Each structure stands twice: as structure tokens, then as C-alpha cells.
Amino acid sequence: MGIKIHSDFALSLDPGHKAYQDTYDEGIINSTPVSPVLFNMKGSLKADETIVAMSDIGEPGLRGASLPPTTEGEIKEMWKKTLTHAEWAIYAKLDEGLWEDLPADRRAAYPRGMANSMMSKAEALAAAVFSGGFATLGGDGKAIFATDHPLEVAGTWSNKGTAALSLASLSAARATMRTQLSPQGRVTQSALGRYLVVPPALEKVASEITGAKMYGVANAAGGTDFNDASFGSIMGLTYLTWEYLTGSVDDWFVSANPGDVARGFDFYWRVAPTYRGGADEENMRYWCNSRMRCSVAAVDGHQAFGSDV
């Protein structure tokens, strides 16, 4: 698909003209990122964000004839982590004569390319949460994906495996997510695995596991019976192929909806991708740039399960 050229390009060479801004905006809008599915997208009005993890209020006690109730609830701060937004930018400058000699589609390629560059970087930052999750420490001092996340009470909980992707390992991962423990050791069912996240190398396997399919099985009478659906299709699982995953080609992940858990993965936009352009008359050249400021808050692993194969 070619770059859409606005008729206004013929009217102005100024990279700050609305036609260039529109082309940039179209590049942002027409991108198809995976990150908004796996992260809560939030705006931020601060230079940094502090994530605070609070405990459960506790287990209810059986109330007898006397007051107050037998159990007194208390919510405590378990840990907190501060994330500073990072700024990313790209710019271009061309001599006046060179810019003016470029055909309209070449000039349009600059804002379009900058939009693609910004969105690609944002995707890479988000995907790094999963790819690096076996080593990057979360708020509890353990990796995002670990087998020994500490509880307030005695014991640990796990969101990590080591098995290759298969129907059996996916079923086990989903069961593990459903039985994750809250800080005080209670079972929470909020982490319902909805998305199987894989690199391109595992796309075929992921498709077979999660999609409805028909395949023949020989029966005792010498005929053929047909299985109508896979486990994934029955349970409502969707696979997401994410080319920005940079870990092992065999690593895979299961994620809940980020809004369904107490501390889901968050993507903070301090400054959304923006574009500016203009003419530097003193130096006889044109310029344009794009910038964004953001941070990824993935400090609690309850949302997802990772298999480090």
C-alpha cells in the first residue's frame, strides 16, 4: 500500500503544514500494535509514577453473638516502585534545495516514517516486559515470571514454567493462573488466561491449539470420527503473534486482560507521540521531528504466566 498524499502537499513545502501533521497522525492511527491488548494504556501528568502494592484486607471470621466481629481487617503497604518516564525522539533536516526537489511522496514519507518509528519503539518497550520477564525484577524482589514470589504469610506462588508449548502445557499454565495466591495466601480467580502470546516461530502451534479445527480419528469400526474443536477455542483463548518478542523463539506466555487483575501491566504516556516541522531560514534548510515520553509499569506478575523453555 502506498503512502496517501494530500492535495495540500502541492501548496506548501513547510514540514509543519497540516498536511504533514495529518500524514503523521494517520501513521499512528493505522498502526496495529499488540500492546493495548496486554497493557492498560494510561496518561500521566507527572514526571514519574509510583506503583504501590497493598495487601488483602484479610479473611473474614465467623461472627458470634458478641461484637466486634472475630476478625479485624487491615490493609498494609507491601512494596512500592517508582518508574521514571523516558523520552524518545527522532529528527530529520534537509537542505532547502534538496527538500524542495523531492517529489511529494518522498516528503510525505518523513512524517509517515516517524510515526512508524515511534509506534515500533513503543511496541518494543512493551514486549520487553515479556521477553525480559524471566530476569527483570518486579516490586517483590523477584523476576516478573518466577516460581517463588513471596507471600505475606508463609509460602510462595508461581507464574513461571519451563515446558514447551503444547496443549498439555497450555492447560497447565492456565490452571496455574487460576490458582494464583493473593498476598495473604488466598486463592484468587481473577487471573483468567485470555491470550496466548507467542513469537512468530510458534504461530503455527498456537493457531492449532487455540483455533477450532476438524481432524479425523480412526474408530474401532474402521471408520473415522471427527473432533470439532480444540481446548483453546472452547475456553475462549486467543493467540497473539508478537514479532517484537526478543527472547528465545521457544518462550511463550499467557496473559489475562490487564484490567481484570489488581495490578495489571500499565503503559504510561507522559507525552504521546507528537510531530513538529518547520523551516530554518537562517541556515536554509527544513526540519521535522517526533518525540514521545513514556514508561512501562510491569511490577507485579499476577496478570501473566511465562514459560522459559
Side-chain angles (χ1 to χ4, degrees):
M1 180 181 294
I3 296 174
K4 181 179 179 181
I5 305 300
H6 292 263
S7 60
D8 286 345
F9 273 109
L11 304 177
S12 177
L13 292 169
D14 184 355
H17 191 274
K18 183 178 183 297
Y20 293 88
Q21 181 66 60
D22 288 347
T23 297
Y24 180 87
D25 293 343
E26 287 172 2
I28 298 294
I29 294 171
N30 293 333
S31 63
T32 55
V34 170
S35 52
V37 179
L38 303 175
F39 290 78
N40 296 307
M41 292 292 173
K42 298 180 176 181
S44 175
L45 299 176
K46 300 180 290 185
D48 52 48
E49 291 287 341
T50 299
I51 313 300
V52 180
M54 308 301 292
S55 70
D56 298 329
I57 196 168
E59 192 76 19
L62 180 64
R63 185 173 183 178
S66 61
L67 295 176
T70 56
T71 299
E72 179 180 359
E74 181 181 7
I75 296 178
K76 303 176 183 178
E77 179 181 306
M78 297 185 299
W79 49 260
K80 61 183 177 182
K81 190 168 185 177
T82 299
L83 304 168
T84 301
H85 304 311
E87 181 157 334
W88 306 88
I90 188 170
Y91 74 96
K93 56 184 179 181
L94 289 92
D95 291 339
E96 184 179 87
L98 178 59
W99 178 260
E100 292 173 350
D101 289 341
L102 289 177
D105 61 339
R106 288 283 302 280
R107 285 187 273 116
Y110 278 85
R112 174 75 70 177
M114 287 183 174
N116 292 341
S117 179
M118 289 291 106
M119 296 308 292
S120 180
K121 185 62 182 180
E123 281 293 276
L125 294 173
V129 167
F130 289 82
S131 297
F134 301 111
T136 303
L137 299 184
D140 62 3
K142 301 296 182 179
I144 298 298
F145 302 111
T147 59
D148 57 348
H149 291 287
L151 301 173
E152 269 196 312
V153 297
T156 60
W157 64 274
S158 172
N159 67 339
K160 177 186 175 183
T162 58
L165 179 58
S166 67
L167 177 58
S169 61
L170 176 59
S171 302
R174 198 168 185 273
T176 296
M177 293 181 69
R178 292 297 298 272
T179 55
Q180 286 177 351
L181 299 178
S182 69
Q184 291 190 330
R186 292 189 292 119
V187 173
T188 173
Q189 294 185 344
S190 61
L192 178 60
R194 292 295 190 189
Y195 303 104
L196 172 59
V197 185
V198 298
L202 293 179
E203 184 174 46
K204 182 177 183 296
V205 177
S207 175
E208 292 173 347
I209 293 175
T210 61
K213 59 182 180 180
M214 301 286 290
Y215 58 91
V217 179
N219 59 32
T224 302
D225 294 328
F226 289 91
N227 191 350
D228 60 347
S230 67
F231 167 83
S233 64
I234 293 173
M235 302 308 296
L237 280 163
T238 300
Y239 81 88
L240 299 173
T241 303
W242 210 0
E243 59 272 12
Y244 288 91
L245 294 173
T246 59
S248 167
V249 295
D250 295 317
D251 290 349
W252 54 276
F253 310 88
V254 182
S255 177
N257 288 317
D260 290 345
V261 294
R263 288 179 297 277
F265 295 164
D266 296 326
F267 196 113
Y268 285 99
W269 287 109
R270 179 68 177 90
V271 177
T274 57
Y275 170 86
R276 294 176 64 237
D280 181 356
E281 296 181 1
E282 182 178 349
N283 294 300
M284 300 180 65
R285 64 190 180 194
Y286 292 94
W287 61 271
C288 56
N289 64 42
S290 179
R291 62 184 284 261
M292 65 182 183
R293 187 181 300 171
C294 58
S295 64
V296 181
V299 293
D300 187 309
H302 277 91
Q303 175 182 320
F305 176 97
S307 189
D308 186 12
V309 182

